[in-house]
Amino acid sequence: MKRPLAILNRNKIKTSLLILFIILQITCIQANAQSEHPHILVKPADKAFILQKIEKETWAKKVYDDIVEKVTPYVERHKTDPEWILSRYLMNRIHGKRYTRFISDDDGTELVGYDGDAPYPTVRVSPHKRPPITADNYSYRFPSIEELVPNDTSMKMLLQRNAPDKKKEWVNPQSFVEKINGNINQLALDAAIVFWLTGKEEYAKFSADILSQWARGAFYQNPIEGPCRTGFLSIQTLGDGNYETLTLAYDFLYNYIHKNNYETKWYENVFEKIAHTMTFRGFWNNNWFAAQTPAMVFAALSLEDKKRRDYYLNFYLNKDTISGSCGHLALPSVVSKWLTPDGHWKEPGGYHNFPVSSLLVSGVAMEKNGYSVFRDFPALLQASYVMLKYSFPNFSAPSIGDTGPVSQSPECLELGLVMAKKYNDPLLPQLTAAMDVLINKKGYKRSSADYIGLLSYLPSIPKNTGITYQWPRSGELDFAKAYVQRNGTDKETGLMYVVQGATYNHNHANGMSMELYGAGTVMGPDPGKGLTYEAPMHVNYYAQWAAHNTVVAGGQSGPVNNFKGGGGTKNMGAIALAAMEPKANNEAISPFCSFTTTNYTEPSTKTKQQRTLAIIRTAPSSGYYVDVFRSAHPKSNEYIYHNVGNSIALLSAERRPLAVANVAFPISQKPFDPPGIREITDTKTTGETNKAVTAVFDLHEADKVSKFMQVLFSAEEGRSFYTGSGPQTNTADVAFRNKPTPTLISRQQGEAWKRPFVAVYEPYIGKDNYTVSKIERIDTDSTGRFTAMQVENTNGSKQFILQSDGAEAKIIRNNITFKGNFAVIGLADNLVHYLYLGSGSHVSYDGFVISTGLANGSANVIINNKNLEVSCNQSTTILVPFTNDSKAVLTVDGKQSTLPLLKVKSGVEIKVPPVINGSIHFQ
């Protein structure tokens, strides 16, 4: 029945009036944003709430006390010597050299010219985008404020080398300039916050004097003349973030400044310069633009002119400003272009926290000023805690690419909690469960927060509703072609690997690289970056093949275009997923096994490669990794593995030390060593050997239980083993971060496709507590397409590991048949314990058979006396050799169904539907 037109019209009018009312209310809130101060992160009405937080919450009191303790000595000195702090601020002070124009080189790397002269000292701009490094690749110690020369007019500083000699040298401070000013800016903000909370005007005066000197100078300055990466007060726009604290300080001091007759004409002009620079400069095709958003949003919210304020805020909320590679993306584009479906920033983990925390802080400020950012863009809530999903059992995240040690950011998660609670978002229980992990297992203390925490965090974490955070067995970051498998989440006994390799911003040229976890730490990590992106060691080593756990083809693997420095892409192509079980975020079919196979063509030599990585769990507290790496370069192939620690020893299969000789590794001369193997020093070798070799890495630390990683290699003709010392691994645990990295190279003379590198990795604690005692290759066929290996363990268990380079392959040997990519047959006391078909159509042993009927089928059967535990991703036929019963009963989640039996000569066949964790007993 149609509704009367009059009713429809009345309803439309009511709806329109309601929408208009809501819009007017929001507009009113936003229009009045500048009518009270502070207003960016807090409002005047929030003061009592924050004081109550300090009074009642121990963590908040600690944050506040730390702020007061840090800033008070400077405030006290300022009472009698106001020039002390002002003279430490780096300014252009000399008459005739109070520059207003700053000119960059064509790359935006360094300043090449200055011009103009202001009536007041102007803010000194960092003359280079990177911190200074020594000629022999050391950094310099960053000076304290007390060490600075007052009213310094020199373009050089006497800085101490972070080298064994500790010498001081006169050098260009480069990006130290903005960091020095940034530290003083932070003191100004800290003092402004203390003033707002206590009313003590000595804190206001200290902050206002710094702010006034800065704004007066910046008023006369123009943004740097150069490419769009150049900023306003920094050689690059990212450096302008060192001044966003002064925007906040102004917000807290607004009433004080006006009451005490400070000159205020500077501010509107300076804030618009910041907002404009952050909106139209920088890059939109990496994390750059997102990292600038706090400076952009804080400055825009500070503008008194509502029309100009709304103009800039619109670029955060709605409108992109793309001009070539320059500009800024608004939130809709951020979500669609830069966040994975689960919220990971599409760059290495170290570049997730930086842009995401910036977006979250900016969003919190926008929410405070009447904009419903988190309601309209809930993907920001996912981004606030997704790093935990990809973490190793010690809570560190994969360190792929140009990154340092990285983990889930507590600040991101705290801000996510604030906004999830505000909107009662369904994700709130998951965020709460994640916070429980950070506090109770990682040891996060809320008292480690800074001013953002004091002003914005919830007083207490909402009570958990009974949800426990669950890590998936597997994961995938498609942009990086990174594939994760884990088994167990206990810090000491959990196992996890990452295999990855792709071309994306801030990647490394590493081929099919892996990271391995064990015994409480990432033993085989990606190495991170050098001192700077242009430092020779970074260019020649960290960003290249030799720094990674990978295989070099013919000594020549390198990116397609010669890498000369920088943080952008290194064109190495991308690895391709061939098979994986469990696939990302899917349920695993086996409690013991999982695997990943990837394919790759190394671009500089066109070498075909394939890597299969697997986890095999042998007990709740033990397990190992299997690595089968094929590489088809006809001349040679170099398998490289780095393990943090103190030393590496090479042993025979009987665990006797092997004789080694000092020798230079035969690096490629034409072209000259593209992968950077030359940076691995003190090399020793066994020479060619056709016998199995075991490498043992020692991670001994004083007064701690010793940890080890053993790597067992199967025997192969034409293979040599080398040990050496690689440069330090900057992503390692602190105990090993500044030490050379023990490095192993297994070199195959000729191709390594038909005779792949086959290795078993076992992390363990205690000198003789290894559990893998022996590995042995089982001959397969003449094509070399199959790899079969027997692994023997000290607990009496045994596994047959079966791998092929394609699902159509088949093995028949030692009562084993196999057709697929990967399978494991587990034995206990020489009896079949389980059959795992990770990907394939068929596997059998000793009368037990799994047939999936699919080339990429997956199934697992555990034999428990005459009962079976079964998981399979498709209908699967199982043959067992031991029953004369007439029917089989399948139980899944307490529900039972009968499966028909087909009696055959060798036993009975059962056809099982797709099922996870089903049990079968016979009747």
Side-chain angles (χ1 to χ4, degrees), residues 16 39 64 197 202 255 258 451 470 487 494 529 532 555 685 753 761 765 847 901 904 916:
S16 298
H39 67 91
Y64 176 72
L197 290 172
E202 61 267 31
N255 295 325
H258 284 76
Y451 71 92
Q470 298 292 327
N487 191 306
K529 59 185 178 180
T532 71
T685 186
W753 185 274
Y761 289 79
I765 300 175
L901 297 180
V904 295
I916 296 294

Side-chain angles (χ1 to χ4, degrees), residues 582-711:
K583 292 184 177 178
N585 304 313
N586 287 6
E587 287 194 73
I589 62 168
S590 168
F592 311 119
C593 307
S594 58
F595 88 104
T596 309
T597 294
T598 51
N599 293 327
Y600 179 57
T601 299
E602 195 278 304
S604 65
T605 63
K606 308 300 181 187
T607 299
K608 182 174 70 168
Q609 296 183 331
Q610 182 187 78
R611 185 168 216 166
T612 294
L613 276 169
I615 296 175
I616 312 296
R617 174 68 71 178
T618 55
S621 60
S622 63
Y624 59 86
Y625 302 97
V626 176
D627 188 20
V628 180
F629 203 127
R630 301 176 186 272
S631 185
H633 196 281
K635 179 183 176 182
S636 69
N637 296 272
E638 293 80 26
Y639 180 103
I640 302 178
Y641 176 70
H642 314 73
N643 200 101
V644 298
N646 303 308
S647 64
I648 174 175
L650 295 182
L651 310 176
S652 67
E654 297 75 28
R655 304 190 78 83
R656 297 190 183 95
L658 290 174
V660 293
N662 292 313
V663 65
F665 189 88
I667 62 175
S668 171
Q669 298 298 319
K670 294 182 180 180
F672 180 65
D673 189 30
I677 296 175
R678 65 188 179 280
E679 303 296 349
I680 299 169
T681 60
D682 191 29
T683 52
K684 300 177 176 66
T685 186
T686 59
E688 281 198 17
T689 177
N690 61 359
K691 296 182 179 180
V693 171
T694 297
V696 178
F697 294 87
D698 182 350
L699 284 74
H700 176 73
E701 294 181 63
D703 302 322
K704 291 187 178 181
V705 178
S706 296
K707 298 179 180 181
F708 300 86
M709 172 70 91
Q710 68 164 343
V711 191

Side-chain angles (χ1 to χ4, degrees), residues 223 268-281 293 295-321 328-331 366 371:
E268 189 83 355
N269 172 279
V270 171
F271 294 151
E272 178 149 13
K273 286 178 183 177
I274 295 174
H276 191 275
T277 305
M278 298 301 103
T279 300
F280 295 101
R281 293 196 182 187
T293 53
M296 170 190 178
V297 167
F298 295 170
L301 287 172
S302 298
L303 295 175
E304 302 287 346
D305 184 335
K306 182 181 182 305
K307 183 177 180 181
R308 302 304 293 165
R309 182 169 74 243
D310 291 345
Y311 170 76
Y312 290 110
L313 293 180
N314 189 45
F315 293 118
Y316 173 76
L317 294 168
N318 304 304
K319 189 176 180 180
D320 300 337
T321 61
H328 183 95
L329 297 182
L331 284 175
M366 294 292 284
Y371 299 87

Side-chain angles (χ1 to χ4, degrees), residues 720-786:
S720 304
F721 292 86
Y722 295 78
T723 63
S725 294
Q728 66 190 44
T729 294
N730 297 315
T731 57
D733 287 349
V734 173
F736 302 107
R737 194 171 298 167
N738 296 315
K739 292 183 176 182
T741 305
T743 303
L744 172 69
I745 305 177
S746 177
R747 186 173 191 265
Q748 179 65 54
Q749 192 70 30
E751 62 81 25
W753 185 274
K754 293 181 180 179
R755 43 185 181 166
F757 299 98
V758 177
V760 165
Y761 289 79
E762 184 193 11
Y764 59 96
I765 300 175
K767 184 177 180 181
D768 297 318
N769 290 338
Y770 57 87
T771 65
V772 177
S773 57
K774 181 182 179 181
I775 71 168
E776 181 182 358
R777 285 281 298 278
I778 302 172
D779 291 339
T780 52
D781 70 352
S782 60
T783 69
R785 300 188 64 190
F786 312 108

Side-chain angles (χ1 to χ4, degrees), residues 320-621:
D320 300 337
T321 61
I322 297 176
S323 177
S325 60
C326 305
H328 183 95
L329 297 182
L331 284 175
S333 295
V334 170
V335 173
S336 65
K337 295 180 180 180
W338 278 107
L339 295 180
T340 63
D342 59 359
H344 196 292
W345 187 263
K346 292 181 181 178
E347 290 180 316
Y351 296 92
H352 174 90
N353 290 336
F354 188 20
V356 168
S357 64
S358 298
L359 291 168
L360 294 175
V361 168
S362 304
V364 168
M366 294 292 284
E367 290 272 354
K368 182 60 66 173
N369 287 272
Y371 299 87
S372 54
V373 170
F374 289 86
R375 185 194 67 190
D376 298 337
F377 301 99
L380 293 176
L381 295 178
Q382 287 186 300
S384 73
Y385 84 119
V386 69
M387 287 294 288
L388 192 59
K389 176 181 177 181
Y390 294 96
S391 295
F392 291 100
N394 67 346
F395 308 106
S396 65
S399 50
I400 60 177
D402 286 341
T403 189
V406 61
S407 60
Q408 169 64 47
S409 162
E411 179 182 271
C412 288
L413 183 50
E414 290 269 18
L415 295 177
L417 278 166
V418 171
M419 290 298 119
K421 188 172 188 298
K422 175 179 178 178
Y423 289 109
N424 195 25
D425 190 277
L427 202 59
L428 180 59
Q430 286 293 328
L431 296 177
T432 303
M435 183 56 78
D436 284 347
V437 170
L438 290 194
I439 292 174
N440 297 322
K441 294 187 176 181
K442 191 174 186 292
Y444 164 59
K445 297 184 183 302
R446 303 187 78 202
S447 58
S448 63
D450 60 8
Y451 71 92
I452 292 289
L454 180 67
L455 300 178
S456 301
Y457 291 0
L458 296 172
S460 59
I461 303 299
K463 288 186 178 179
N464 194 307
T465 57
I467 293 178
T468 301
Y469 186 85
Q470 298 292 327
W471 279 269
R473 280 279 296 270
S474 60
E476 173 185 9
L477 290 172
D478 183 65
F479 73 90
K481 302 304 176 190
Y483 305 99
V484 173
Q485 295 283 4
R486 57 165 60 86
N487 191 306
T489 58
D490 178 78
K491 182 180 179 182
E492 297 297 330
T493 63
L495 299 173
M496 175 175 156
Y497 70 73
V498 181
V499 59
Q500 55 84 24
T503 300
Y504 53 91
N505 199 52
H506 286 294
N507 75 317
H508 278 169
N510 52 234
M512 288 188 290
S513 182
M514 71 172 179
E515 290 186 276
L516 296 181
Y517 180 88
T521 188
V522 185
M523 286 201 167
D526 247 32
K529 59 185 178 180
L531 288 176
T532 71
Y533 295 139
E534 291 77 29
M537 188 62 76
H538 178 80
V539 174
N540 298 323
Y541 180 74
Y542 287 106
Q544 305 289 356
W545 255 256
H548 303 271
N549 301 323
T550 188
V551 168
V552 173
Q556 298 178 0
S557 293
V560 172
N561 299 314
N562 187 33
F563 176 58
K564 297 180 180 179
T569 59
K570 297 87 180 170
N571 189 355
M572 57 150 283
I575 72 176
L577 182 65
M580 182 178 182
E581 197 292 311
K583 292 184 177 178
N585 304 313
N586 287 6
E587 287 194 73
I589 62 168
S590 168
F592 311 119
C593 307
S594 58
F595 88 104
T596 309
T597 294
T598 51
N599 293 327
Y600 179 57
T601 299
E602 195 278 304
S604 65
T605 63
K606 308 300 181 187
T607 299
K608 182 174 70 168
Q609 296 183 331
Q610 182 187 78
R611 185 168 216 166
T612 294
L613 276 169
I615 296 175
I616 312 296
R617 174 68 71 178
T618 55
S621 60

Side-chain angles (χ1 to χ4, degrees), residues 652-906:
S652 67
E654 297 75 28
R655 304 190 78 83
R656 297 190 183 95
L658 290 174
V660 293
N662 292 313
V663 65
F665 189 88
I667 62 175
S668 171
Q669 298 298 319
K670 294 182 180 180
F672 180 65
D673 189 30
I677 296 175
R678 65 188 179 280
E679 303 296 349
I680 299 169
T681 60
D682 191 29
T683 52
K684 300 177 176 66
T685 186
T686 59
E688 281 198 17
T689 177
N690 61 359
K691 296 182 179 180
V693 171
T694 297
V696 178
F697 294 87
D698 182 350
L699 284 74
H700 176 73
E701 294 181 63
D703 302 322
K704 291 187 178 181
V705 178
S706 296
K707 298 179 180 181
F708 300 86
M709 172 70 91
Q710 68 164 343
V711 191
L712 298 90
F713 287 89
S714 62
E716 188 59 70
E717 295 290 337
R719 191 156 292 176
S720 304
F721 292 86
Y722 295 78
T723 63
S725 294
Q728 66 190 44
T729 294
N730 297 315
T731 57
D733 287 349
V734 173
F736 302 107
R737 194 171 298 167
N738 296 315
K739 292 183 176 182
T741 305
T743 303
L744 172 69
I745 305 177
S746 177
R747 186 173 191 265
Q748 179 65 54
Q749 192 70 30
E751 62 81 25
W753 185 274
K754 293 181 180 179
R755 43 185 181 166
F757 299 98
V758 177
V760 165
Y761 289 79
E762 184 193 11
Y764 59 96
I765 300 175
K767 184 177 180 181
D768 297 318
N769 290 338
Y770 57 87
T771 65
V772 177
S773 57
K774 181 182 179 181
I775 71 168
E776 181 182 358
R777 285 281 298 278
I778 302 172
D779 291 339
T780 52
D781 70 352
S782 60
T783 69
R785 300 188 64 190
F786 312 108
T787 297
M789 175 174 57
Q790 177 177 302
V791 179
E792 298 180 12
N793 306 295
T794 56
N795 66 1
S797 68
K798 183 187 300 183
Q799 294 83 38
F800 294 108
I801 314 296
L802 312 174
Q803 188 270 350
S804 80
D805 66 2
E808 75 282 358
K810 190 174 183 181
I811 293 177
I812 302 176
R813 180 175 173 79
N814 288 359
N815 202 20
I816 297 171
T817 66
F818 167 58
K819 189 175 182 181
N821 292 104
F822 186 78
V824 181
I825 299 165
L827 278 63
D829 298 323
N830 289 319
L831 298 176
V832 180
H833 180 208
Y834 66 84
L835 274 71
Y836 168 75
L837 184 58
S839 177
S841 60
H842 178 90
V843 66
S844 73
Y845 178 77
D846 202 22
F848 292 88
V849 181
I850 294 175
S851 296
T852 67
L854 299 175
N856 60 350
S858 299
N860 188 74
V861 177
I862 301 173
I863 298 92
N864 184 9
N865 293 320
K866 290 192 176 182
N867 295 318
L868 307 179
E869 297 174 31
V870 179
S871 292
C872 50
N873 291 332
Q874 67 293 301
S875 179
T876 299
T877 300
I878 300 171
L879 188 152
V880 294
F882 54 61
T883 183
N884 292 317
D885 297 305
S886 59
K887 67 177 182 178
V889 177
L890 172 66
T891 303
V892 182
D893 295 329
K895 298 180 181 179
Q896 294 186 339
S897 59
T898 300
L899 303 176
L901 297 180
L902 175 62
K903 294 191 176 183
V904 295
K905 184 177 180 180
S906 57

